Amino acid sequence: MVSKTIINIKDLDINLLDFSQESPRIQTILQNISTHADTEDVVLLLGPSGSGKSLLTNILLGFIKYDHPQIMVEKDRENAQFRVKLQQDAEFVDMKENLYPQVLEGKIGIMFQALGLFDDLTVKENIRFAYDHSKNSNRSASNFKKWFKETTDKLGLEKFVDRYPGNLSGGQRQRVALARLLAYAPSVMILDEPTSALDPLSVKESLNLIREVHKETSSLTIIITHDYKEPPKIADRIWFIHDHTIENYGLKGKSEEEKQEILKEIEHKLHASMSKIAPRIIDDKEAIKRQNKAFDVKWSNMFGEIGKTLSQAKNMFLSRRIQWFMKFFKNIFHRLVTLSLPYNIIAGFFLGIVITYFTLNTNFGEIHLESGENVQVKDFMLPAFYREMLTGLGIIMFNALIPLISCILIASRSGTAITAYLSAIHDSNTKQWDALRNFGVNPTLFFLPQVLFSFVLGCLLLSYLSFLAAACGTLITSLVLNPLCSYYVWQQTFWSSLGSFPFFKGFGMFTLKTAVTGFAIGIISFYYGTRKKSNPMDTIKFLTRANICNMLGILLIFFLILCYEFGG
């Protein structure tokens, strides 16, 4: 007889290596846990906050790996087991392997408490994104239209498919997240606090919907919840985390009276004082030894992770998923370049006016003549050296001043914008970053090329257009300030000194300066945008650091390249 068990955990310990105190210590999270779940079960994962519910599911999802420097899964114990299988008649997959099993990639899906909906995509696009990234063989492009209509009609979303998540109510957003999870079609579904933000009536409707969806999908469903009232009504099994262990209560075949007794027992244990295992203080040598063990795991997984990244890149660029890369790229390019275009052109125009005005109105002092008159030096120099001044001005503005100032403007506006944008996606309160990971998308591989290409192309294009606008400002200022100047004079001096339009003299170095600067802005903005943030002040701190580093980086790059260009 084939076993119905599809998740089997036995004699497993999970500890935390804590460095927050004066001496390193090991804090027990889960100790000697043993539990299981059968195919088609609805499992409630209950337990107080901080008991290890999310930790356990994050290991199942592959979000927490065995190379984590602080979270230690003691998987090397003799009798320890951590096994999963995707179908009742399949072989168990050993979750104790150092590298997350490839066969489980895309087979365990989650609906986050924060939902993780992509703010840049409409309801339909959110659902289609998951559908296109599903590894389920039934998710063909030709079937999407029919499946989408049936699902949105069933979930009551047919009127909202063209709206963005920000324009929906909490209940509507939750139904969208559930529809997206169904589109992904995983073999195991995890629902994190699906009723936490709902009113009592909506809780019952949501749970009935989850039960109905579960019956149709026939997949194992794990519901993480703090609600001990309504969710047990749809559950087949309860995993209750108490006193660092998991107690497994089967509800299938139980009468209502028996179920109520089980819930009373759980509620009693919940309100009783929990026994907390005191942390074990260890010396620095043991702490370093444990961290080195995690580093050894990371090192041994290196080639496997490289292979996984290459596979993800192939799936991203050489399949229908490329449309989503391009969709997000268009949004980022629009934010960074298109919206900056008028800002940079106007700034370039006024920079041309200001630079030309002060260049042609420099006060060189006075000369006292024998006749007793005082004459301004510029009255002699301007007619004599006017052509040379305009010629030099064109060269300096094209090679240094305009691209430098333009790149600083791009960093201050677009660099800040992308840092804030990535911070919002990476925010633990939105879970968009983790949603991408759950769909088998490497977020760094997904966003970094988009950001770098946008900044490299944006710095080149916007700096060039800023220079053309600055040239117009220079022409107007020259005509107004100097009656000897005409368009012909300006064209023969300022413009001709640059060579042929559009590829002026020094265009190669212009491209090098702006492209390298754009690359640096992209790297710095991406780095600070994707740093882990624990509170809003961290976001402000990293925005400030990104701006400072961008400014210093731009000045350093221009200094080095200009030294090479004119010093050689």
Side-chain angles (χ1 to χ4, degrees), residues 265-318:
E265 180 183 340
I266 290 174
E267 191 169 2
H268 174 73
K269 289 181 178 179
L270 182 67
H271 290 99
S273 58
M274 289 181 59
S275 61
K276 187 172 182 179
I277 300 175
R280 180 168 65 90
I281 297 176
I282 60 175
D283 56 30
D284 292 338
K285 185 176 179 180
E286 183 178 349
I288 293 172
K289 181 180 177 181
R290 287 180 175 271
Q291 286 195 311
N292 286 342
K293 184 178 179 180
F295 179 79
D296 290 341
V297 172
K298 184 183 285 288
W299 179 258
S300 67
N301 288 348
M302 183 178 64
F303 291 107
E305 292 291 349
I306 291 173
K308 178 181 174 181
T309 301
L310 292 175
S311 176
Q312 289 174 328
K314 177 183 175 183
N315 291 334
M316 186 191 305
F317 297 114
L318 301 179

Side-chain angles (χ1 to χ4, degrees), residues 51-173:
S51 60
K53 301 187 300 295
S54 296
L55 182 64
L56 186 61
T57 52
N58 281 338
I59 294 173
L60 271 172
L61 289 161
F63 290 173
I64 294 177
K65 301 177 182 179
Y66 298 136
D67 59 7
H68 196 287
Q70 290 181 273
I71 297 173
M72 302 176 298
V73 181
E74 310 292 351
K75 59 189 180 64
D76 296 330
R77 293 177 56 180
E78 184 177 351
N79 296 321
Q81 292 183 4
F82 193 1
R83 304 185 301 167
V84 177
K85 63 179 179 179
L86 301 175
Q87 295 177 344
Q88 187 175 331
D89 56 351
E91 294 292 327
F92 272 109
V93 178
D94 191 357
M95 288 284 291
K96 295 193 301 174
E97 297 294 331
N98 286 340
L99 195 63
Y100 188 77
Q102 188 175 0
V103 69
L104 295 183
E105 295 281 356
K107 298 299 184 181
I108 303 177
I110 183 170
M111 186 180 87
F112 298 100
Q113 181 179 358
L115 304 180
L117 298 175
F118 303 126
D119 295 332
D120 285 344
L121 304 182
T122 64
V123 167
K124 184 175 182 178
E125 289 170 338
N126 265 281
I127 296 171
R128 184 63 190 261
F129 185 96
Y131 190 95
D132 286 345
H133 286 81
S134 173
K135 293 191 176 182
N136 192 307
S137 57
N138 294 327
R139 293 296 184 251
S140 63
S142 58
N143 292 335
F144 175 75
K145 190 173 182 179
K146 178 183 177 183
W147 176 91
F148 179 76
K149 187 177 187 313
E150 292 174 352
T151 302
T152 51
D153 288 348
K154 183 191 308 175
L155 298 179
L157 294 172
E158 65 279 0
K159 295 180 181 179
F160 313 117
V161 294
D162 293 322
R163 293 189 189 179
Y164 287 90
N167 298 325
L168 301 178
S169 68
Q172 291 166 348
R173 285 165 56 85

